[in-house]
Amino acid sequence: MATTCPVRFFHWRAGICRSRFSRAVVIELAREQNVPVREMPLTKHDVYIADECFLTGSAAEIVPVTKVDSRKIGAGVPGPITLQLLDRFHDVTRQ
C-alpha cells in the first residue's frame, strides 16, 4: 500500500490548464500570467495526451509530472508553463 499527502493534479492541453482539483494560489498565479484555467473532470486519456502536467500540495508545492503509467507526458521533461509557475510560486512564497 502506498500513501501520500493530499495533492492536486493540473495538466495542460492546447494551452489550457485543465484541473479536476484546484489550488487557489496556483490558479491565481496562472491567471496573473494569462494562462487560461478551467476546472473539469479528467480521464486517463486526458492525462496521457497532456502537453505537460504537475501536482500541487501544501508539502509538495509544485511537482512536475513527466511520466504516468510508463507513458511520457509531453516531451518527458517539465514543461515551460510548469517551470514558469514553479518559479513564480517560489517568488511569492519566499516573500
Side-chain angles (χ1 to χ4, degrees):
M1 177 181 1
T3 60
T4 183
C5 297
V7 295
R8 308 297 184 248
F9 188 81
F10 291 77
H11 90 287
W12 268 263
R13 176 77 178 147
I16 298 174
C17 174
R18 302 159 196 258
S19 168
R20 179 157 186 226
F21 303 104
S22 67
R23 287 275 296 148
V25 171
V26 174
I27 289 173
E28 181 180 334
L29 293 175
R31 288 184 173 148
E32 283 176 5
Q33 296 179 39
N34 297 315
V35 174
V37 177
R38 180 173 40 186
E39 295 181 71
M40 58 188 281
L42 299 174
T43 66
K44 274 190 172 186
H45 178 73
D46 293 323
V47 176
Y48 294 157
I49 65 169
D51 299 322
E52 55 184 294
C53 298
F54 65 85
L55 302 172
T56 68
S58 297
E61 296 183 348
I62 295 175
V63 179
V65 175
T66 58
K67 189 185 286 189
V68 174
D69 293 340
S70 301
R71 296 174 188 232
K72 208 167 35 167
I73 302 299
V77 296
I81 294 172
T82 302
L83 294 175
Q84 178 182 1
L85 289 173
L86 183 57
D87 286 343
R88 185 68 185 113
F89 182 85
H90 285 153
D91 290 344
V92 169
T93 58
R94 290 185 177 136
Q95 288 181 3

Coordinates of all heavy atoms in Angstrom, one line a residue:
M1 N 0.8 -1.2 0.0 CA 0.0 0.0 0.0 C 0.9 1.2 0.0 O 1.9 1.3 0.7 CB -0.9 0.0 1.2 CG -1.7 1.2 1.3 SD -2.8 1.5 2.7 CE -2.7 0.1 3.7
A2 N 0.5 2.2 -0.8 CA 1.2 3.5 -0.8 C 0.4 4.6 -0.3 O -0.9 4.6 -0.4 CB 1.6 3.8 -2.3
T3 N 1.0 5.5 0.4 CA 0.3 6.7 1.0 C 1.0 7.9 0.5 O 2.2 7.9 0.3 CB 0.1 6.6 2.5 OG1 1.5 6.6 3.0 CG2 -0.6 5.4 3.0
T4 N 0.3 9.0 0.5 CA 0.8 10.3 0.2 C 0.0 11.4 0.8 O -1.1 11.2 1.3 CB 0.9 10.5 -1.4 OG1 1.5 11.7 -1.7 CG2 -0.5 10.5 -1.9
C5 N 0.6 12.6 0.9 CA -0.1 13.8 1.3 C -1.1 14.1 0.2 O -0.9 13.8 -0.9 CB 0.8 15.0 1.5 SG 2.1 14.7 2.7
P6 N -2.2 14.8 0.6 CA -3.2 15.2 -0.4 C -2.5 16.1 -1.4 O -1.8 17.0 -1.1 CB -4.3 15.9 0.3 CG -4.1 15.5 1.7 CD -2.6 15.1 1.9
V7 N -2.8 15.8 -2.7 CA -2.2 16.7 -3.8 C -3.3 17.0 -4.8 O -4.4 16.4 -4.8 CB -1.0 16.0 -4.5 CG1 0.1 15.8 -3.6 CG2 -1.5 14.7 -5.1
R8 N -3.1 18.0 -5.6 CA -4.0 18.4 -6.7 C -3.3 18.2 -8.0 O -2.1 18.3 -8.1 CB -4.4 19.9 -6.6 CG -4.9 20.3 -5.2 CD -6.2 19.6 -4.8 NE -6.7 20.1 -3.6 CZ -6.7 19.4 -2.5 NH1 -6.3 18.1 -2.4 NH2 -7.3 19.9 -1.4
F9 N -4.0 17.8 -9.0 CA -3.4 17.5 -10.3 C -3.8 18.5 -11.3 O -5.0 18.8 -11.5 CB -3.9 16.1 -10.7 CG -3.2 15.6 -12.0 CD1 -2.0 15.0 -11.9 CD2 -3.8 15.7 -13.2 CE1 -1.4 14.5 -13.0 CE2 -3.2 15.2 -14.3 CZ -2.0 14.6 -14.2
F10 N -2.8 19.0 -12.1 CA -3.1 20.0 -13.1 C -2.4 19.5 -14.4 O -1.4 18.8 -14.4 CB -2.3 21.3 -12.8 CG -2.9 22.1 -11.7 CD1 -2.7 21.7 -10.4 CD2 -3.7 23.2 -11.9 CE1 -3.2 22.4 -9.3 CE2 -4.2 24.0 -10.9 CZ -4.0 23.6 -9.6
H11 N -3.1 19.7 -15.5 CA -2.4 19.4 -16.8 C -2.9 20.4 -17.9 O -3.9 21.0 -17.8 CB -2.7 17.9 -17.2 CG -3.9 17.7 -18.0 ND1 -5.2 17.8 -17.5 CD2 -4.1 17.4 -19.3 CE1 -6.1 17.5 -18.5 NE2 -5.4 17.3 -19.6
W12 N -2.0 20.5 -18.9 CA -2.2 21.4 -20.0 C -2.4 20.6 -21.3 O -1.7 19.7 -21.5 CB -1.0 22.3 -20.2 CG -1.2 23.6 -19.4 CD1 -1.7 24.8 -19.9 CD2 -0.9 23.8 -18.0 NE1 -1.7 25.7 -18.8 CE2 -1.3 25.1 -17.7 CE3 -0.5 22.9 -17.0 CZ2 -1.2 25.6 -16.4 CZ3 -0.4 23.5 -15.7 CH2 -0.7 24.8 -15.5
R13 N -3.3 21.1 -22.1 CA -3.5 20.6 -23.4 C -4.0 21.8 -24.2 O -4.9 22.5 -23.9 CB -4.6 19.5 -23.4 CG -4.9 18.9 -24.8 CD -3.8 18.0 -25.2 NE -4.2 17.4 -26.5 CZ -3.3 17.1 -27.5 NH1 -2.0 17.3 -27.2 NH2 -3.7 16.7 -28.6
A14 N -3.3 22.0 -25.3 CA -3.6 23.1 -26.2 C -3.7 24.4 -25.5 O -4.6 25.2 -25.8 CB -5.0 22.8 -27.0
G15 N -2.8 24.7 -24.6 CA -2.7 26.0 -24.0 C -3.7 26.2 -22.9 O -3.8 27.4 -22.4
I16 N -4.5 25.2 -22.4 CA -5.5 25.5 -21.4 C -5.1 24.5 -20.2 O -4.9 23.3 -20.4 CB -6.9 25.2 -21.9 CG1 -7.3 26.2 -23.0 CG2 -7.9 25.3 -20.7 CD1 -8.6 25.9 -23.6
C17 N -5.1 25.1 -19.0 CA -4.9 24.3 -17.8 C -6.3 23.6 -17.5 O -7.3 24.3 -17.4 CB -4.5 25.2 -16.6 SG -4.4 24.3 -15.1
R18 N -6.3 22.3 -17.4 CA -7.5 21.6 -17.1 C -7.2 20.9 -15.7 O -6.3 20.1 -15.6 CB -7.8 20.6 -18.2 CG -7.9 21.3 -19.5 CD -7.7 20.3 -20.6 NE -7.5 21.0 -21.9 CZ -8.4 21.1 -22.8 NH1 -9.6 20.7 -22.7 NH2 -8.1 21.7 -23.9
S19 N -8.0 21.2 -14.8 CA -7.8 20.7 -13.4 C -9.1 20.2 -12.8 O -10.1 20.9 -12.8 CB -7.2 21.8 -12.5 OG -7.2 21.4 -11.2
R20 N -9.0 19.0 -12.3 CA -10.2 18.5 -11.6 C -10.2 19.1 -10.2 O -11.3 19.3 -9.6 CB -10.1 16.9 -11.5 CG -11.3 16.4 -10.7 CD -11.6 15.0 -11.0 NE -12.8 14.6 -10.4 CZ -13.0 13.6 -9.7 NH1 -12.0 12.7 -9.6 NH2 -14.1 13.3 -9.1
F21 N -9.1 19.3 -9.6 CA -9.0 19.9 -8.3 C -8.2 21.2 -8.4 O -7.4 21.4 -9.3 CB -8.2 19.0 -7.3 CG -8.9 17.6 -7.2 CD1 -8.3 16.5 -7.8 CD2 -10.0 17.5 -6.4 CE1 -8.9 15.3 -7.6 CE2 -10.6 16.2 -6.3 CZ -10.1 15.1 -6.9
S22 N -8.4 22.1 -7.5 CA -7.7 23.4 -7.6 C -6.9 23.7 -6.4 O -7.3 23.4 -5.3 CB -8.7 24.5 -8.0 OG -9.5 24.7 -6.8
R23 N -5.9 24.5 -6.6 CA -5.1 25.1 -5.5 C -5.2 26.6 -5.9 O -4.7 27.0 -6.9 CB -3.7 24.7 -5.5 CG -3.5 23.3 -5.0 CD -3.3 23.2 -3.6 NE -2.2 23.9 -3.1 CZ -2.1 24.5 -1.9 NH1 -3.1 24.4 -1.1 NH2 -1.0 25.1 -1.5
A24 N -5.9 27.3 -5.0 CA -6.2 28.7 -5.3 C -4.9 29.5 -5.6 O -5.0 30.4 -6.6 CB -6.9 29.4 -4.0
V25 N -3.8 29.3 -5.0 CA -2.6 30.1 -5.3 C -2.1 29.8 -6.7 O -1.8 30.7 -7.4 CB -1.5 29.8 -4.2 CG1 -0.2 30.4 -4.6 CG2 -1.9 30.2 -2.8
V26 N -2.1 28.6 -7.1 CA -1.5 28.2 -8.4 C -2.5 28.7 -9.5 O -2.0 29.3 -10.5 CB -1.3 26.7 -8.5 CG1 -0.9 26.3 -9.9 CG2 -0.2 26.2 -7.5
I27 N -3.8 28.6 -9.3 CA -4.7 29.1 -10.2 C -4.6 30.6 -10.3 O -4.6 31.2 -11.5 CB -6.2 28.7 -9.8 CG1 -6.3 27.2 -10.1 CG2 -7.2 29.5 -10.6 CD1 -7.6 26.6 -9.6
E28 N -4.5 31.3 -9.2 CA -4.3 32.8 -9.2 C -3.0 33.2 -10.0 O -3.0 34.1 -10.8 CB -4.2 33.3 -7.8 CG -4.1 34.8 -7.7 CD -4.0 35.3 -6.3 OE1 -4.6 34.7 -5.4 OE2 -3.4 36.4 -6.1
L29 N -1.9 32.5 -9.7 CA -0.7 32.7 -10.4 C -0.8 32.5 -11.9 O -0.3 33.3 -12.7 CB 0.5 31.9 -9.8 CG 0.9 32.2 -8.4 CD1 1.9 31.2 -7.9 CD2 1.4 33.6 -8.3
A30 N -1.5 31.4 -12.3 CA -1.7 31.1 -13.7 C -2.4 32.2 -14.4 O -2.1 32.7 -15.5 CB -2.4 29.8 -13.9
R31 N -3.5 32.7 -13.8 CA -4.3 33.7 -14.3 C -3.6 35.0 -14.4 O -3.8 35.8 -15.4 CB -5.6 33.8 -13.6 CG -6.5 32.6 -13.8 CD -7.9 32.7 -13.2 NE -8.7 31.6 -13.6 CZ -9.7 31.1 -12.9 NH1 -9.9 31.5 -11.7 NH2 -10.4 30.1 -13.4
E32 N -2.8 35.3 -13.4 CA -1.9 36.5 -13.4 C -1.0 36.6 -14.7 O -0.7 37.6 -15.2 CB -1.1 36.7 -12.2 CG -1.8 37.1 -11.0 CD -0.9 37.1 -9.7 OE1 0.3 36.9 -9.8 OE2 -1.4 37.3 -8.6
Q33 N -0.6 35.4 -15.1 CA 0.3 35.3 -16.2 C -0.5 34.9 -17.5 O 0.1 34.5 -18.5 CB 1.3 34.2 -16.0 CG 2.2 34.6 -14.8 CD 3.3 33.6 -14.4 OE1 3.8 33.0 -15.3 NE2 3.5 33.4 -13.2
N34 N -1.8 35.2 -17.5 CA -2.7 35.0 -18.7 C -2.7 33.5 -19.2 O -2.8 33.3 -20.4 CB -2.3 36.0 -19.8 CG -2.5 37.4 -19.4 OD1 -3.5 37.7 -18.8 ND2 -1.5 38.2 -19.7
V35 N -2.5 32.6 -18.3 CA -2.6 31.2 -18.6 C -4.1 30.8 -18.4 O -4.6 30.9 -17.2 CB -1.7 30.3 -17.8 CG1 -2.0 28.8 -18.0 CG2 -0.3 30.7 -18.0
P36 N -4.8 30.4 -19.4 CA -6.3 30.0 -19.2 C -6.4 28.8 -18.3 O -5.6 27.9 -18.4 CB -6.8 29.7 -20.6 CG -5.7 30.2 -21.5 CD -4.4 30.3 -20.8
V37 N -7.3 28.9 -17.3 CA -7.5 27.8 -16.4 C -9.0 27.4 -16.5 O -9.9 28.2 -16.5 CB -7.2 28.2 -14.9 CG1 -7.5 27.1 -14.0 CG2 -5.8 28.7 -14.8
R38 N -9.2 26.1 -16.5 CA -10.6 25.5 -16.5 C -10.6 24.3 -15.6 O -9.8 23.4 -15.8 CB -11.0 25.2 -17.9 CG -12.4 24.6 -18.0 CD -12.9 24.4 -19.4 NE -11.9 23.9 -20.2 CZ -12.1 23.8 -21.6 NH1 -13.2 24.1 -22.1 NH2 -11.1 23.3 -22.3
E39 N -11.5 24.3 -14.6 CA -11.6 23.1 -13.8 C -12.6 22.1 -14.4 O -13.7 22.5 -14.8 CB -12.0 23.5 -12.4 CG -11.0 24.4 -11.7 CD -11.4 24.8 -10.3 OE1 -11.5 23.9 -9.4 OE2 -11.8 26.0 -10.1
M40 N -12.2 20.9 -14.5 CA -13.0 19.9 -15.1 C -12.6 18.5 -14.7 O -11.5 18.3 -14.3 CB -13.0 20.0 -16.6 CG -11.6 19.9 -17.2 SD -11.4 20.3 -18.9 CE -12.0 18.8 -19.6
P41 N -13.5 17.5 -14.8 CA -13.1 16.1 -14.6 C -12.1 15.6 -15.6 O -12.2 16.1 -16.8 CB -14.4 15.3 -14.7 CG -15.5 16.3 -14.6 CD -14.9 17.6 -15.1
L42 N -11.2 14.8 -15.2 CA -10.2 14.3 -16.2 C -10.3 12.8 -16.3 O -10.6 12.1 -15.3 CB -8.8 14.6 -15.6 CG -8.4 16.1 -15.5 CD1 -7.0 16.2 -14.8 CD2 -8.4 16.8 -16.8
T43 N -9.9 12.3 -17.4 CA -9.8 10.9 -17.7 C -8.3 10.5 -17.8 O -7.5 11.4 -18.0 CB -10.5 10.4 -19.0 OG1 -9.8 11.0 -20.1 CG2 -12.0 10.9 -18.9
K44 N -8.0 9.2 -17.8 CA -6.6 8.8 -18.0 C -6.1 9.3 -19.4 O -5.0 9.8 -19.6 CB -6.4 7.3 -18.0 CG -6.2 6.8 -16.6 CD -5.8 5.3 -16.7 CE -5.4 4.8 -15.3 NZ -4.9 3.5 -15.4
H45 N -7.0 9.3 -20.4 CA -6.7 9.7 -21.7 C -6.3 11.2 -21.7 O -5.3 11.6 -22.4 CB -7.9 9.5 -22.7 CG -7.6 9.9 -24.1 ND1 -6.7 9.3 -24.9 CD2 -8.0 11.0 -24.8 CE1 -6.7 9.9 -26.1 NE2 -7.5 11.0 -26.0
D46 N -7.0 12.0 -21.0 CA -6.7 13.4 -20.9 C -5.2 13.6 -20.4 O -4.5 14.4 -20.9 CB -7.6 14.2 -19.9 CG -9.0 14.3 -20.4 OD1 -9.2 14.4 -21.6 OD2 -9.9 14.2 -19.5
V47 N -4.9 12.8 -19.4 CA -3.5 12.9 -18.8 C -2.5 12.4 -19.8 O -1.5 13.1 -20.0 CB -3.5 12.1 -17.5 CG1 -2.0 12.1 -17.0 CG2 -4.4 12.6 -16.5
Y48 N -2.8 11.3 -20.5 CA -1.8 10.7 -21.4 C -1.5 11.7 -22.6 O -0.4 11.7 -23.1 CB -2.3 9.4 -22.0 CG -2.5 8.3 -21.1 CD1 -3.3 7.2 -21.3 CD2 -1.7 8.2 -19.9 CE1 -3.5 6.2 -20.5 CE2 -1.9 7.2 -19.0 CZ -2.7 6.1 -19.3 OH -2.9 5.1 -18.5
I49 N -2.5 12.5 -23.0 CA -2.3 13.4 -24.2 C -1.9 14.8 -23.7 O -1.8 15.7 -24.6 CB -3.5 13.4 -25.1 CG1 -4.7 14.0 -24.5 CG2 -3.7 12.0 -25.7 CD1 -5.8 14.2 -25.4
A50 N -1.7 15.0 -22.5 CA -1.4 16.4 -22.0 C -0.1 16.8 -22.5 O 0.9 16.0 -22.7 CB -1.4 16.4 -20.5
D51 N 0.1 18.1 -22.7 CA 1.3 18.7 -23.1 C 2.3 18.8 -22.0 O 3.5 18.6 -22.1 CB 1.1 20.1 -23.7 CG 0.3 20.2 -24.9 OD1 0.4 19.2 -25.8 OD2 -0.5 21.1 -25.1
E52 N 1.8 19.0 -20.8 CA 2.5 19.0 -19.5 C 1.6 18.8 -18.3 O 0.4 19.1 -18.5 CB 3.4 20.2 -19.4 CG 2.7 21.5 -19.5 CD 3.6 22.7 -19.4 OE1 4.3 22.9 -18.3 OE2 3.7 23.4 -20.4
C53 N 2.1 18.3 -17.2 CA 1.4 18.1 -16.0 C 2.2 18.5 -14.8 O 3.4 18.4 -14.8 CB 1.0 16.6 -15.9 SG 0.0 15.9 -17.1
F54 N 1.5 18.8 -13.7 CA 2.2 18.9 -12.4 C 1.2 18.6 -11.3 O 0.0 18.7 -11.5 CB 2.9 20.2 -12.2 CG 1.9 21.4 -12.2 CD1 1.4 21.8 -11.0 CD2 1.7 22.2 -13.3 CE1 0.5 22.9 -10.9 CE2 0.9 23.3 -13.2 CZ 0.3 23.7 -12.0
L55 N 1.7 18.3 -10.1 CA 0.9 18.1 -8.9 C 1.2 19.3 -8.0 O 2.3 19.9 -8.0 CB 1.3 16.8 -8.2 CG 1.2 15.5 -9.0 CD1 1.9 14.4 -8.2 CD2 -0.2 15.2 -9.3
T56 N 0.2 19.6 -7.1 CA 0.5 20.6 -6.1 C 0.0 20.1 -4.8 O -0.9 19.2 -4.7 CB -0.3 21.9 -6.3 OG1 -1.7 21.7 -6.2 CG2 0.0 22.5 -7.7
G57 N 0.5 20.6 -3.7 CA 0.1 20.2 -2.3 C 0.8 21.1 -1.4 O 1.9 21.7 -1.7
S58 N 0.3 21.2 -0.2 CA 0.9 22.0 0.8 C 2.4 21.6 1.1 O 3.3 22.5 1.2 CB 0.2 22.0 2.2 OG -1.1 22.5 2.0
A59 N 2.6 20.4 1.2 CA 4.0 19.9 1.5 C 4.8 19.8 0.2 O 6.0 20.0 0.1 CB 4.0 18.6 2.2
A60 N 4.1 19.4 -0.9 CA 4.8 19.1 -2.2 C 5.1 20.4 -3.0 O 6.0 20.4 -3.8 CB 3.9 18.2 -3.0
E61 N 4.3 21.5 -2.7 CA 4.4 22.7 -3.5 C 4.0 22.4 -4.9 O 2.9 22.0 -5.2 CB 5.8 23.4 -3.4 CG 6.1 23.8 -2.0 CD 7.4 24.6 -1.9 OE1 8.2 24.5 -2.8 OE2 7.6 25.2 -0.8
I62 N 4.9 22.5 -5.9 CA 4.6 22.2 -7.3 C 5.6 21.1 -7.7 O 6.8 21.4 -7.7 CB 4.6 23.4 -8.2 CG1 3.6 24.4 -7.9 CG2 4.5 23.0 -9.7 CD1 3.6 25.7 -8.7
V63 N 5.1 20.0 -8.2 CA 5.9 18.9 -8.6 C 5.6 18.5 -10.1 O 4.5 18.1 -10.4 CB 5.7 17.6 -7.7 CG1 6.6 16.5 -8.2 CG2 6.0 18.0 -6.3
P64 N 6.6 18.7 -11.0 CA 6.3 18.4 -12.4 C 6.1 16.9 -12.5 O 6.7 16.1 -11.8 CB 7.6 18.8 -13.1 CG 8.3 19.8 -12.2 CD 7.9 19.4 -10.8
V65 N 5.2 16.5 -13.4 CA 5.0 15.1 -13.7 C 5.4 14.9 -15.2 O 4.9 15.6 -16.1 CB 3.5 14.7 -13.6 CG1 3.2 13.3 -14.0 CG2 3.0 15.0 -12.1
T66 N 6.3 14.0 -15.4 CA 6.9 13.7 -16.7 C 6.5 12.4 -17.3 O 6.7 12.1 -18.5 CB 8.4 13.9 -16.8 OG1 8.9 12.9 -15.8 CG2 8.8 15.3 -16.4
K67 N 5.9 11.5 -16.4 CA 5.5 10.2 -16.9 C 4.4 9.7 -16.0 O 4.4 9.9 -14.8 CB 6.7 9.2 -16.7 CG 6.5 7.9 -17.3 CD 7.7 6.9 -17.0 CE 8.9 7.3 -17.9 NZ 10.0 6.4 -17.8
V68 N 3.4 9.0 -16.7 CA 2.3 8.4 -16.0 C 2.0 7.0 -16.6 O 2.0 6.9 -17.8 CB 1.0 9.3 -16.1 CG1 -0.2 8.5 -15.5 CG2 1.2 10.6 -15.4
D69 N 2.0 6.0 -15.8 CA 1.8 4.6 -16.3 C 2.8 4.3 -17.4 O 2.5 3.7 -18.4 CB 0.4 4.4 -16.9 CG -0.7 4.5 -15.8 OD1 -0.3 4.3 -14.6 OD2 -1.8 4.7 -16.1
S70 N 4.1 4.7 -17.2 CA 5.2 4.4 -18.1 C 5.0 5.2 -19.4 O 5.7 4.9 -20.4 CB 5.4 2.9 -18.4 OG 5.6 2.2 -17.2
R71 N 4.1 6.1 -19.5 CA 3.9 6.9 -20.7 C 4.5 8.3 -20.5 O 4.2 8.9 -19.5 CB 2.4 7.0 -21.1 CG 1.8 5.8 -21.4 CD 0.3 6.0 -21.6 NE -0.5 4.8 -21.7 CZ -1.3 4.5 -22.7 NH1 -1.5 5.5 -23.6 NH2 -1.9 3.4 -22.8
K72 N 5.3 8.8 -21.4 CA 5.8 10.1 -21.3 C 4.7 11.1 -21.5 O 3.9 11.0 -22.4 CB 6.9 10.2 -22.5 CG 8.0 11.2 -22.2 CD 9.1 11.1 -23.1 CE 8.9 10.8 -24.6 NZ 10.0 11.1 -25.4
I73 N 4.8 12.2 -20.6 CA 3.8 13.3 -20.8 C 4.6 14.4 -21.5 O 5.7 14.8 -21.1 CB 3.4 13.8 -19.4 CG1 2.8 12.7 -18.5 CG2 2.5 15.0 -19.5 CD1 1.5 12.1 -19.1
G74 N 3.9 14.8 -22.6 CA 4.6 15.8 -23.5 C 5.9 15.4 -23.9 O 6.1 14.3 -24.4
A75 N 6.9 16.2 -23.7 CA 8.3 15.9 -24.1 C 9.1 15.0 -23.1 O 10.2 14.7 -23.3 CB 9.1 17.2 -24.4
G76 N 8.4 14.7 -22.0 CA 9.0 13.9 -21.0 C 9.9 14.7 -20.0 O 10.7 14.1 -19.2
V77 N 9.8 16.0 -20.1 CA 10.5 16.9 -19.2 C 9.5 17.9 -18.7 O 8.5 18.2 -19.3 CB 11.7 17.6 -19.9 CG1 12.8 16.5 -20.3 CG2 11.3 18.4 -21.0
P78 N 9.8 18.6 -17.5 CA 8.9 19.6 -17.1 C 8.7 20.7 -18.2 O 9.7 21.1 -18.8 CB 9.7 20.2 -15.9 CG 10.5 19.1 -15.4 CD 11.0 18.4 -16.6
G79 N 7.5 21.1 -18.4 CA 7.2 22.0 -19.4 C 7.3 23.4 -19.1 O 7.5 23.8 -17.9
P80 N 7.3 24.3 -20.0 CA 7.5 25.8 -19.8 C 6.5 26.4 -18.9 O 6.9 27.2 -18.0 CB 7.5 26.4 -21.2 CG 6.8 25.4 -22.0 CD 7.0 24.1 -21.5
I81 N 5.2 26.0 -18.9 CA 4.2 26.6 -18.1 C 4.5 26.1 -16.6 O 4.4 26.9 -15.7 CB 2.8 26.3 -18.5 CG1 2.5 26.9 -19.9 CG2 1.8 26.7 -17.5 CD1 1.2 26.5 -20.5
T82 N 4.8 24.8 -16.5 CA 5.0 24.3 -15.1 C 6.2 25.0 -14.5 O 6.2 25.4 -13.4 CB 5.3 22.8 -15.2 OG1 4.2 22.1 -15.8 CG2 5.6 22.2 -13.9
L83 N 7.3 25.2 -15.3 CA 8.5 25.8 -14.7 C 8.3 27.3 -14.4 O 8.7 27.8 -13.4 CB 9.7 25.7 -15.7 CG 10.1 24.2 -15.9 CD1 11.2 24.2 -17.0 CD2 10.7 23.6 -14.6
Q84 N 7.5 28.0 -15.3 CA 7.1 29.4 -15.1 C 6.3 29.5 -13.8 O 6.6 30.4 -12.9 CB 6.3 29.9 -16.2 CG 5.9 31.3 -16.2 CD 5.0 31.7 -17.4 OE1 4.8 30.9 -18.3 NE2 4.6 32.9 -17.4
L85 N 5.3 28.7 -13.6 CA 4.5 28.7 -12.3 C 5.3 28.3 -11.1 O 5.2 28.9 -10.0 CB 3.3 27.8 -12.5 CG 2.2 28.4 -13.5 CD1 1.1 27.3 -13.6 CD2 1.7 29.7 -13.0
L86 N 6.2 27.4 -11.3 CA 7.1 27.0 -10.1 C 8.0 28.1 -9.7 O 8.1 28.4 -8.5 CB 7.9 25.8 -10.5 CG 8.8 25.2 -9.5 CD1 8.0 24.7 -8.2 CD2 9.6 24.0 -10.0
D87 N 8.6 28.8 -10.7 CA 9.4 30.0 -10.3 C 8.6 31.1 -9.7 O 9.0 31.6 -8.6 CB 10.1 30.5 -11.6 CG 11.2 29.7 -12.1 OD1 11.7 28.8 -11.3 OD2 11.6 29.9 -13.3
R88 N 7.4 31.4 -10.2 CA 6.6 32.4 -9.6 C 6.1 32.0 -8.2 O 6.0 32.8 -7.3 CB 5.4 32.7 -10.6 CG 4.5 33.8 -10.2 CD 5.3 35.2 -10.3 NE 4.4 36.2 -9.7 CZ 4.6 36.8 -8.6 NH1 5.7 36.7 -7.9 NH2 3.8 37.7 -8.1
F89 N 5.7 30.7 -8.1 CA 5.3 30.2 -6.8 C 6.4 30.4 -5.7 O 6.1 30.9 -4.6 CB 4.9 28.7 -6.9 CG 4.4 28.1 -5.6 CD1 3.1 28.2 -5.3 CD2 5.3 27.4 -4.8 CE1 2.6 27.6 -4.1 CE2 4.8 26.8 -3.6 CZ 3.5 26.9 -3.3
H90 N 7.6 30.1 -6.1 CA 8.7 30.3 -5.1 C 8.9 31.8 -4.8 O 9.2 32.1 -3.7 CB 10.0 29.7 -5.7 CG 10.0 28.2 -5.6 ND1 10.7 27.4 -6.4 CD2 9.3 27.3 -4.7 CE1 10.5 26.1 -6.1 NE2 9.7 26.1 -5.1
D91 N 8.8 32.6 -5.8 CA 8.9 34.1 -5.6 C 7.9 34.5 -4.5 O 8.2 35.3 -3.6 CB 8.7 34.9 -6.9 CG 9.8 34.8 -7.9 OD1 10.9 34.3 -7.5 OD2 9.5 35.1 -9.1
V92 N 6.6 34.1 -4.7 CA 5.5 34.5 -3.8 C 5.7 33.9 -2.4 O 5.5 34.6 -1.4 CB 4.2 34.1 -4.4 CG1 3.1 34.2 -3.4 CG2 3.9 34.9 -5.7
T93 N 6.1 32.7 -2.3 CA 6.2 32.0 -1.0 C 7.4 32.4 -0.2 O 7.5 32.2 1.0 CB 6.1 30.5 -1.1 OG1 7.1 30.0 -2.0 CG2 4.7 30.1 -1.7
R94 N 8.4 32.9 -0.9 CA 9.6 33.3 -0.2 C 9.6 34.8 0.2 O 10.6 35.3 0.7 CB 10.8 33.0 -1.1 CG 11.0 31.5 -1.2 CD 12.3 31.2 -1.9 NE 12.4 29.7 -1.9 CZ 12.8 29.0 -2.9 NH1 13.0 29.6 -4.1 NH2 12.9 27.7 -2.9
Q95 N 8.5 35.5 -0.1 CA 8.5 36.9 0.3 C 8.2 37.1 1.7 O 7.6 36.4 2.4 CB 7.4 37.6 -0.5 CG 7.7 37.8 -2.0 CD 6.6 38.5 -2.7 OE1 5.6 38.9 -2.2 NE2 6.8 38.6 -4.0

